[in-house]
mmCIF file with all atom_site columns, all heavy atoms in Angstrom:
data_model
loop_
_atom_site.group_PDB
_atom_site.id
_atom_site.type_symbol
_atom_site.label_atom_id
_atom_site.label_alt_id
_atom_site.label_comp_id
_atom_site.label_asym_id
_atom_site.label_entity_id
_atom_site.label_seq_id
_atom_site.pdbx_PDB_ins_code
_atom_site.Cartn_x
_atom_site.Cartn_y
_atom_site.Cartn_z
_atom_site.occupancy
_atom_site.B_iso_or_equiv
_atom_site.pdbx_formal_charge
_atom_site.auth_seq_id
_atom_site.auth_comp_id
_atom_site.auth_asym_id
_atom_site.auth_atom_id
_atom_site.pdbx_PDB_model_num
ATOM 1   N N   . ARG A 1 82  ? -53.347 19.340 -22.388 1.00 0.00 ? 82  ARG A N   1
ATOM 2   C CA  . ARG A 1 82  ? -54.471 18.694 -23.053 1.00 0.00 ? 82  ARG A CA  1
ATOM 3   C C   . ARG A 1 82  ? -54.055 17.390 -23.694 1.00 0.00 ? 82  ARG A C   1
ATOM 4   O O   . ARG A 1 82  ? -52.894 17.200 -24.026 1.00 0.00 ? 82  ARG A O   1
ATOM 5   C CB  . ARG A 1 82  ? -54.943 19.625 -24.157 1.00 0.00 ? 82  ARG A CB  1
ATOM 6   C CG  . ARG A 1 82  ? -56.377 19.856 -24.116 1.00 0.00 ? 82  ARG A CG  1
ATOM 7   C CD  . ARG A 1 82  ? -56.774 20.751 -25.240 1.00 0.00 ? 82  ARG A CD  1
ATOM 8   N NE  . ARG A 1 82  ? -58.212 20.786 -25.101 1.00 0.00 ? 82  ARG A NE  1
ATOM 9   C CZ  . ARG A 1 82  ? -58.984 21.674 -25.593 1.00 0.00 ? 82  ARG A CZ  1
ATOM 10  N NH1 . ARG A 1 82  ? -58.495 22.620 -26.321 1.00 0.00 ? 82  ARG A NH1 1
ATOM 11  N NH2 . ARG A 1 82  ? -60.266 21.624 -25.396 1.00 0.00 ? 82  ARG A NH2 1
ATOM 12  N N   . LYS A 1 83  ? -55.023 16.526 -23.886 1.00 0.00 ? 83  LYS A N   1
ATOM 13  C CA  . LYS A 1 83  ? -54.838 15.267 -24.607 1.00 0.00 ? 83  LYS A CA  1
ATOM 14  C C   . LYS A 1 83  ? -53.738 14.406 -24.004 1.00 0.00 ? 83  LYS A C   1
ATOM 15  O O   . LYS A 1 83  ? -52.899 13.862 -24.714 1.00 0.00 ? 83  LYS A O   1
ATOM 16  C CB  . LYS A 1 83  ? -54.584 15.515 -26.083 1.00 0.00 ? 83  LYS A CB  1
ATOM 17  C CG  . LYS A 1 83  ? -55.760 16.206 -26.744 1.00 0.00 ? 83  LYS A CG  1
ATOM 18  C CD  . LYS A 1 83  ? -55.685 16.106 -28.223 1.00 0.00 ? 83  LYS A CD  1
ATOM 19  C CE  . LYS A 1 83  ? -56.859 16.891 -28.774 1.00 0.00 ? 83  LYS A CE  1
ATOM 20  N NZ  . LYS A 1 83  ? -57.484 16.401 -29.886 1.00 0.00 ? 83  LYS A NZ  1
ATOM 21  N N   . SER A 1 84  ? -53.733 14.311 -22.723 1.00 0.00 ? 84  SER A N   1
ATOM 22  C CA  . SER A 1 84  ? -52.803 13.390 -22.070 1.00 0.00 ? 84  SER A CA  1
ATOM 23  C C   . SER A 1 84  ? -53.481 12.023 -22.035 1.00 0.00 ? 84  SER A C   1
ATOM 24  O O   . SER A 1 84  ? -54.660 11.915 -21.748 1.00 0.00 ? 84  SER A O   1
ATOM 25  C CB  . SER A 1 84  ? -52.474 13.873 -20.664 1.00 0.00 ? 84  SER A CB  1
ATOM 26  O OG  . SER A 1 84  ? -53.652 14.002 -19.905 1.00 0.00 ? 84  SER A OG  1
ATOM 27  N N   . GLU A 1 85  ? -52.764 11.012 -22.384 1.00 0.00 ? 85  GLU A N   1
ATOM 28  C CA  . GLU A 1 85  ? -53.321 9.653  -22.413 1.00 0.00 ? 85  GLU A CA  1
ATOM 29  C C   . GLU A 1 85  ? -53.320 9.059  -21.015 1.00 0.00 ? 85  GLU A C   1
ATOM 30  O O   . GLU A 1 85  ? -52.377 9.285  -20.262 1.00 0.00 ? 85  GLU A O   1
ATOM 31  C CB  . GLU A 1 85  ? -52.498 8.765  -23.359 1.00 0.00 ? 85  GLU A CB  1
ATOM 32  C CG  . GLU A 1 85  ? -52.576 9.194  -24.805 1.00 0.00 ? 85  GLU A CG  1
ATOM 33  C CD  . GLU A 1 85  ? -53.976 9.125  -25.399 1.00 0.00 ? 85  GLU A CD  1
ATOM 34  O OE1 . GLU A 1 85  ? -54.769 8.266  -24.962 1.00 0.00 ? 85  GLU A OE1 1
ATOM 35  O OE2 . GLU A 1 85  ? -54.276 9.940  -26.276 1.00 0.00 ? 85  GLU A OE2 1
ATOM 36  N N   . PRO A 1 86  ? -54.343 8.338  -20.617 1.00 0.00 ? 86  PRO A N   1
ATOM 37  C CA  . PRO A 1 86  ? -55.509 7.904  -21.385 1.00 0.00 ? 86  PRO A CA  1
ATOM 38  C C   . PRO A 1 86  ? -56.680 8.889  -21.320 1.00 0.00 ? 86  PRO A C   1
ATOM 39  O O   . PRO A 1 86  ? -57.769 8.581  -21.793 1.00 0.00 ? 86  PRO A O   1
ATOM 40  C CB  . PRO A 1 86  ? -55.890 6.595  -20.725 1.00 0.00 ? 86  PRO A CB  1
ATOM 41  C CG  . PRO A 1 86  ? -55.564 6.816  -19.288 1.00 0.00 ? 86  PRO A CG  1
ATOM 42  C CD  . PRO A 1 86  ? -54.332 7.694  -19.307 1.00 0.00 ? 86  PRO A CD  1
ATOM 43  N N   . GLN A 1 87  ? -56.498 10.060 -20.760 1.00 0.00 ? 87  GLN A N   1
ATOM 44  C CA  . GLN A 1 87  ? -57.573 11.040 -20.680 1.00 0.00 ? 87  GLN A CA  1
ATOM 45  C C   . GLN A 1 87  ? -57.932 11.492 -22.091 1.00 0.00 ? 87  GLN A C   1
ATOM 46  O O   . GLN A 1 87  ? -57.057 11.787 -22.893 1.00 0.00 ? 87  GLN A O   1
ATOM 47  C CB  . GLN A 1 87  ? -57.133 12.240 -19.833 1.00 0.00 ? 87  GLN A CB  1
ATOM 48  C CG  . GLN A 1 87  ? -58.166 13.304 -19.726 1.00 0.00 ? 87  GLN A CG  1
ATOM 49  C CD  . GLN A 1 87  ? -57.612 14.517 -19.001 1.00 0.00 ? 87  GLN A CD  1
ATOM 50  O OE1 . GLN A 1 87  ? -56.521 14.514 -18.496 1.00 0.00 ? 87  GLN A OE1 1
ATOM 51  N NE2 . GLN A 1 87  ? -58.399 15.570 -18.963 1.00 0.00 ? 87  GLN A NE2 1
ATOM 52  N N   . LEU A 1 88  ? -59.226 11.584 -22.371 1.00 0.00 ? 88  LEU A N   1
ATOM 53  C CA  . LEU A 1 88  ? -59.644 11.943 -23.714 1.00 0.00 ? 88  LEU A CA  1
ATOM 54  C C   . LEU A 1 88  ? -60.055 13.402 -23.850 1.00 0.00 ? 88  LEU A C   1
ATOM 55  O O   . LEU A 1 88  ? -59.918 13.994 -24.904 1.00 0.00 ? 88  LEU A O   1
ATOM 56  C CB  . LEU A 1 88  ? -60.804 11.043 -24.152 1.00 0.00 ? 88  LEU A CB  1
ATOM 57  C CG  . LEU A 1 88  ? -60.469 9.551  -24.178 1.00 0.00 ? 88  LEU A CG  1
ATOM 58  C CD1 . LEU A 1 88  ? -61.703 8.745  -24.544 1.00 0.00 ? 88  LEU A CD1 1
ATOM 59  C CD2 . LEU A 1 88  ? -59.343 9.269  -25.156 1.00 0.00 ? 88  LEU A CD2 1
ATOM 60  N N   . GLN A 1 89  ? -60.611 13.992 -22.802 1.00 0.00 ? 89  GLN A N   1
ATOM 61  C CA  . GLN A 1 89  ? -61.110 15.365 -22.847 1.00 0.00 ? 89  GLN A CA  1
ATOM 62  C C   . GLN A 1 89  ? -60.544 16.154 -21.671 1.00 0.00 ? 89  GLN A C   1
ATOM 63  O O   . GLN A 1 89  ? -60.076 15.591 -20.699 1.00 0.00 ? 89  GLN A O   1
ATOM 64  C CB  . GLN A 1 89  ? -62.640 15.383 -22.772 1.00 0.00 ? 89  GLN A CB  1
ATOM 65  C CG  . GLN A 1 89  ? -63.334 14.644 -23.882 1.00 0.00 ? 89  GLN A CG  1
ATOM 66  C CD  . GLN A 1 89  ? -63.128 15.307 -25.224 1.00 0.00 ? 89  GLN A CD  1
ATOM 67  O OE1 . GLN A 1 89  ? -63.138 16.526 -25.332 1.00 0.00 ? 89  GLN A OE1 1
ATOM 68  N NE2 . GLN A 1 89  ? -62.902 14.514 -26.256 1.00 0.00 ? 89  GLN A NE2 1
ATOM 69  N N   . GLY A 1 90  ? -60.646 17.455 -21.764 1.00 0.00 ? 90  GLY A N   1
ATOM 70  C CA  . GLY A 1 90  ? -60.304 18.309 -20.636 1.00 0.00 ? 90  GLY A CA  1
ATOM 71  C C   . GLY A 1 90  ? -58.816 18.591 -20.512 1.00 0.00 ? 90  GLY A C   1
ATOM 72  O O   . GLY A 1 90  ? -58.033 18.366 -21.428 1.00 0.00 ? 90  GLY A O   1
ATOM 73  N N   . PHE A 1 91  ? -58.460 19.084 -19.336 1.00 0.00 ? 91  PHE A N   1
ATOM 74  C CA  . PHE A 1 91  ? -57.096 19.513 -19.051 1.00 0.00 ? 91  PHE A CA  1
ATOM 75  C C   . PHE A 1 91  ? -56.595 18.850 -17.775 1.00 0.00 ? 91  PHE A C   1
ATOM 76  O O   . PHE A 1 91  ? -57.364 18.533 -16.878 1.00 0.00 ? 91  PHE A O   1
ATOM 77  C CB  . PHE A 1 91  ? -57.042 21.035 -18.848 1.00 0.00 ? 91  PHE A CB  1
ATOM 78  C CG  . PHE A 1 91  ? -57.420 21.823 -20.064 1.00 0.00 ? 91  PHE A CG  1
ATOM 79  C CD1 . PHE A 1 91  ? -58.731 22.205 -20.277 1.00 0.00 ? 91  PHE A CD1 1
ATOM 80  C CD2 . PHE A 1 91  ? -56.464 22.178 -20.994 1.00 0.00 ? 91  PHE A CD2 1
ATOM 81  C CE1 . PHE A 1 91  ? -59.082 22.932 -21.395 1.00 0.00 ? 91  PHE A CE1 1
ATOM 82  C CE2 . PHE A 1 91  ? -56.801 22.907 -22.117 1.00 0.00 ? 91  PHE A CE2 1
ATOM 83  C CZ  . PHE A 1 91  ? -58.122 23.287 -22.314 1.00 0.00 ? 91  PHE A CZ  1
ATOM 84  N N   . VAL A 1 92  ? -55.287 18.692 -17.687 1.00 0.00 ? 92  VAL A N   1
ATOM 85  C CA  . VAL A 1 92  ? -54.618 18.245 -16.467 1.00 0.00 ? 92  VAL A CA  1
ATOM 86  C C   . VAL A 1 92  ? -53.500 19.245 -16.175 1.00 0.00 ? 92  VAL A C   1
ATOM 87  O O   . VAL A 1 92  ? -53.154 20.080 -17.009 1.00 0.00 ? 92  VAL A O   1
ATOM 88  C CB  . VAL A 1 92  ? -54.053 16.806 -16.588 1.00 0.00 ? 92  VAL A CB  1
ATOM 89  C CG1 . VAL A 1 92  ? -55.167 15.798 -16.786 1.00 0.00 ? 92  VAL A CG1 1
ATOM 90  C CG2 . VAL A 1 92  ? -53.032 16.716 -17.715 1.00 0.00 ? 92  VAL A CG2 1
ATOM 91  N N   . GLN A 1 93  ? -52.910 19.131 -14.996 1.00 0.00 ? 93  GLN A N   1
ATOM 92  C CA  . GLN A 1 93  ? -51.806 19.998 -14.619 1.00 0.00 ? 93  GLN A CA  1
ATOM 93  C C   . GLN A 1 93  ? -50.581 19.655 -15.449 1.00 0.00 ? 93  GLN A C   1
ATOM 94  O O   . GLN A 1 93  ? -50.136 18.519 -15.470 1.00 0.00 ? 93  GLN A O   1
ATOM 95  C CB  . GLN A 1 93  ? -51.491 19.809 -13.138 1.00 0.00 ? 93  GLN A CB  1
ATOM 96  C CG  . GLN A 1 93  ? -52.590 20.252 -12.226 1.00 0.00 ? 93  GLN A CG  1
ATOM 97  C CD  . GLN A 1 93  ? -52.399 19.750 -10.812 1.00 0.00 ? 93  GLN A CD  1
ATOM 98  O OE1 . GLN A 1 93  ? -53.376 19.579 -10.121 1.00 0.00 ? 93  GLN A OE1 1
ATOM 99  N NE2 . GLN A 1 93  ? -51.201 19.493 -10.352 1.00 0.00 ? 93  GLN A NE2 1
ATOM 100 N N   . GLY A 1 94  ? -50.039 20.663 -16.122 1.00 0.00 ? 94  GLY A N   1
ATOM 101 C CA  . GLY A 1 94  ? -48.801 20.496 -16.881 1.00 0.00 ? 94  GLY A CA  1
ATOM 102 C C   . GLY A 1 94  ? -47.633 21.033 -16.070 1.00 0.00 ? 94  GLY A C   1
ATOM 103 O O   . GLY A 1 94  ? -47.589 20.884 -14.835 1.00 0.00 ? 94  GLY A O   1
ATOM 104 N N   . ASP A 1 95  ? -46.702 21.679 -16.741 1.00 0.00 ? 95  ASP A N   1
ATOM 105 C CA  . ASP A 1 95  ? -45.515 22.231 -16.079 1.00 0.00 ? 95  ASP A CA  1
ATOM 106 C C   . ASP A 1 95  ? -45.883 23.334 -15.097 1.00 0.00 ? 95  ASP A C   1
ATOM 107 O O   . ASP A 1 95  ? -46.837 24.081 -15.308 1.00 0.00 ? 95  ASP A O   1
ATOM 108 C CB  . ASP A 1 95  ? -44.549 22.814 -17.115 1.00 0.00 ? 95  ASP A CB  1
ATOM 109 C CG  . ASP A 1 95  ? -43.953 21.749 -18.022 1.00 0.00 ? 95  ASP A CG  1
ATOM 110 O OD1 . ASP A 1 95  ? -43.895 20.572 -17.597 1.00 0.00 ? 95  ASP A OD1 1
ATOM 111 O OD2 . ASP A 1 95  ? -43.552 22.094 -19.146 1.00 0.00 ? 95  ASP A OD2 1
ATOM 112 N N   . VAL A 1 96  ? -45.096 23.436 -14.037 1.00 0.00 ? 96  VAL A N   1
ATOM 113 C CA  . VAL A 1 96  ? -45.271 24.507 -13.060 1.00 0.00 ? 96  VAL A CA  1
ATOM 114 C C   . VAL A 1 96  ? -44.786 25.818 -13.676 1.00 0.00 ? 96  VAL A C   1
ATOM 115 O O   . VAL A 1 96  ? -43.692 25.882 -14.241 1.00 0.00 ? 96  VAL A O   1
ATOM 116 C CB  . VAL A 1 96  ? -44.480 24.223 -11.760 1.00 0.00 ? 96  VAL A CB  1
ATOM 117 C CG1 . VAL A 1 96  ? -44.497 25.425 -10.828 1.00 0.00 ? 96  VAL A CG1 1
ATOM 118 C CG2 . VAL A 1 96  ? -45.036 23.001 -11.065 1.00 0.00 ? 96  VAL A CG2 1
ATOM 119 N N   . ILE A 1 97  ? -45.604 26.855 -13.560 1.00 0.00 ? 97  ILE A N   1
ATOM 120 C CA  . ILE A 1 97  ? -45.236 28.184 -14.040 1.00 0.00 ? 97  ILE A CA  1
ATOM 121 C C   . ILE A 1 97  ? -44.626 28.995 -12.901 1.00 0.00 ? 97  ILE A C   1
ATOM 122 O O   . ILE A 1 97  ? -43.595 29.641 -13.056 1.00 0.00 ? 97  ILE A O   1
ATOM 123 C CB  . ILE A 1 97  ? -46.465 28.920 -14.602 1.00 0.00 ? 97  ILE A CB  1
ATOM 124 C CG1 . ILE A 1 97  ? -47.002 28.156 -15.809 1.00 0.00 ? 97  ILE A CG1 1
ATOM 125 C CG2 . ILE A 1 97  ? -46.130 30.361 -14.945 1.00 0.00 ? 97  ILE A CG2 1
ATOM 126 C CD1 . ILE A 1 97  ? -48.341 28.653 -16.297 1.00 0.00 ? 97  ILE A CD1 1
ATOM 127 N N   . GLN A 1 98  ? -45.282 28.948 -11.749 1.00 0.00 ? 98  GLN A N   1
ATOM 128 C CA  . GLN A 1 98  ? -44.847 29.766 -10.617 1.00 0.00 ? 98  GLN A CA  1
ATOM 129 C C   . GLN A 1 98  ? -45.500 29.235 -9.347  1.00 0.00 ? 98  GLN A C   1
ATOM 130 O O   . GLN A 1 98  ? -46.580 28.661 -9.388  1.00 0.00 ? 98  GLN A O   1
ATOM 131 C CB  . GLN A 1 98  ? -45.280 31.209 -10.864 1.00 0.00 ? 98  GLN A CB  1
ATOM 132 C CG  . GLN A 1 98  ? -45.044 32.168 -9.735  1.00 0.00 ? 98  GLN A CG  1
ATOM 133 C CD  . GLN A 1 98  ? -45.358 33.588 -10.155 1.00 0.00 ? 98  GLN A CD  1
ATOM 134 O OE1 . GLN A 1 98  ? -44.758 34.101 -11.083 1.00 0.00 ? 98  GLN A OE1 1
ATOM 135 N NE2 . GLN A 1 98  ? -46.294 34.224 -9.477  1.00 0.00 ? 98  GLN A NE2 1
ATOM 136 N N   . ARG A 1 99  ? -44.832 29.482 -8.231  1.00 0.00 ? 99  ARG A N   1
ATOM 137 C CA  . ARG A 1 99  ? -45.395 29.164 -6.921  1.00 0.00 ? 99  ARG A CA  1
ATOM 138 C C   . ARG A 1 99  ? -45.364 30.425 -6.062  1.00 0.00 ? 99  ARG A C   1
ATOM 139 O O   . ARG A 1 99  ? -44.428 31.214 -6.144  1.00 0.00 ? 99  ARG A O   1
ATOM 140 C CB  . ARG A 1 99  ? -44.599 28.048 -6.247  1.00 0.00 ? 99  ARG A CB  1
ATOM 141 C CG  . ARG A 1 99  ? -44.771 26.710 -6.941  1.00 0.00 ? 99  ARG A CG  1
ATOM 142 C CD  . ARG A 1 99  ? -44.095 25.610 -6.132  1.00 0.00 ? 99  ARG A CD  1
ATOM 143 N NE  . ARG A 1 99  ? -44.533 24.317 -6.586  1.00 0.00 ? 99  ARG A NE  1
ATOM 144 C CZ  . ARG A 1 99  ? -43.807 23.504 -7.343  1.00 0.00 ? 99  ARG A CZ  1
ATOM 145 N NH1 . ARG A 1 99  ? -42.605 23.864 -7.718  1.00 0.00 ? 99  ARG A NH1 1
ATOM 146 N NH2 . ARG A 1 99  ? -44.279 22.336 -7.712  1.00 0.00 ? 99  ARG A NH2 1
ATOM 147 N N   . GLU A 1 100 ? -46.405 30.573 -5.253  1.00 0.00 ? 100 GLU A N   1
ATOM 148 C CA  . GLU A 1 100 ? -46.483 31.707 -4.331  1.00 0.00 ? 100 GLU A CA  1
ATOM 149 C C   . GLU A 1 100 ? -46.841 31.168 -2.953  1.00 0.00 ? 100 GLU A C   1
ATOM 150 O O   . GLU A 1 100 ? -47.655 30.257 -2.839  1.00 0.00 ? 100 GLU A O   1
ATOM 151 C CB  . GLU A 1 100 ? -47.565 32.691 -4.774  1.00 0.00 ? 100 GLU A CB  1
ATOM 152 C CG  . GLU A 1 100 ? -47.334 33.263 -6.149  1.00 0.00 ? 100 GLU A CG  1
ATOM 153 C CD  . GLU A 1 100 ? -48.486 34.119 -6.644  1.00 0.00 ? 100 GLU A CD  1
ATOM 154 O OE1 . GLU A 1 100 ? -49.486 34.292 -5.905  1.00 0.00 ? 100 GLU A OE1 1
ATOM 155 O OE2 . GLU A 1 100 ? -48.386 34.617 -7.777  1.00 0.00 ? 100 GLU A OE2 1
ATOM 156 N N   . ILE A 1 101 ? -46.249 31.728 -1.930  1.00 0.00 ? 101 ILE A N   1
ATOM 157 C CA  . ILE A 1 101 ? -46.599 31.344 -0.561  1.00 0.00 ? 101 ILE A CA  1
ATOM 158 C C   . ILE A 1 101 ? -47.157 32.565 0.156   1.00 0.00 ? 101 ILE A C   1
ATOM 159 O O   . ILE A 1 101 ? -46.588 33.650 0.111   1.00 0.00 ? 101 ILE A O   1
ATOM 160 C CB  . ILE A 1 101 ? -45.393 30.750 0.197   1.00 0.00 ? 101 ILE A CB  1
ATOM 161 C CG1 . ILE A 1 101 ? -45.009 29.408 -0.431  1.00 0.00 ? 101 ILE A CG1 1
ATOM 162 C CG2 . ILE A 1 101 ? -45.729 30.581 1.690   1.00 0.00 ? 101 ILE A CG2 1
ATOM 163 C CD1 . ILE A 1 101 ? -43.850 28.695 0.234   1.00 0.00 ? 101 ILE A CD1 1
ATOM 164 N N   . HIS A 1 102 ? -48.274 32.359 0.801   1.00 0.00 ? 102 HIS A N   1
ATOM 165 C CA  . HIS A 1 102 ? -48.951 33.375 1.615   1.00 0.00 ? 102 HIS A CA  1
ATOM 166 C C   . HIS A 1 102 ? -48.723 32.966 3.064   1.00 0.00 ? 102 HIS A C   1
ATOM 167 O O   . HIS A 1 102 ? -49.145 31.885 3.474   1.00 0.00 ? 102 HIS A O   1
ATOM 168 C CB  . HIS A 1 102 ? -50.446 33.361 1.265   1.00 0.00 ? 102 HIS A CB  1
ATOM 169 C CG  . HIS A 1 102 ? -51.291 34.266 2.085   1.00 0.00 ? 102 HIS A CG  1
ATOM 170 N ND1 . HIS A 1 102 ? -52.661 34.289 1.939   1.00 0.00 ? 102 HIS A ND1 1
ATOM 171 C CD2 . HIS A 1 102 ? -51.020 35.177 3.043   1.00 0.00 ? 102 HIS A CD2 1
ATOM 172 C CE1 . HIS A 1 102 ? -53.186 35.173 2.760   1.00 0.00 ? 102 HIS A CE1 1
ATOM 173 N NE2 . HIS A 1 102 ? -52.194 35.720 3.459   1.00 0.00 ? 102 HIS A NE2 1
#
Side-chain angles (χ1 to χ4, degrees):
R82 230 181 176 160
K83 298 196 183 217
S84 58
E85 295 298 330
Q87 179 186 354
L88 300 177
Q89 300 293 321
F91 296 91
V92 296
Q93 295 166 208
D95 294 335
V96 172
I97 297 170
Q98 174 173 300
R99 291 187 165 104
E100 300 174 1
I101 293 181
H102 175 184

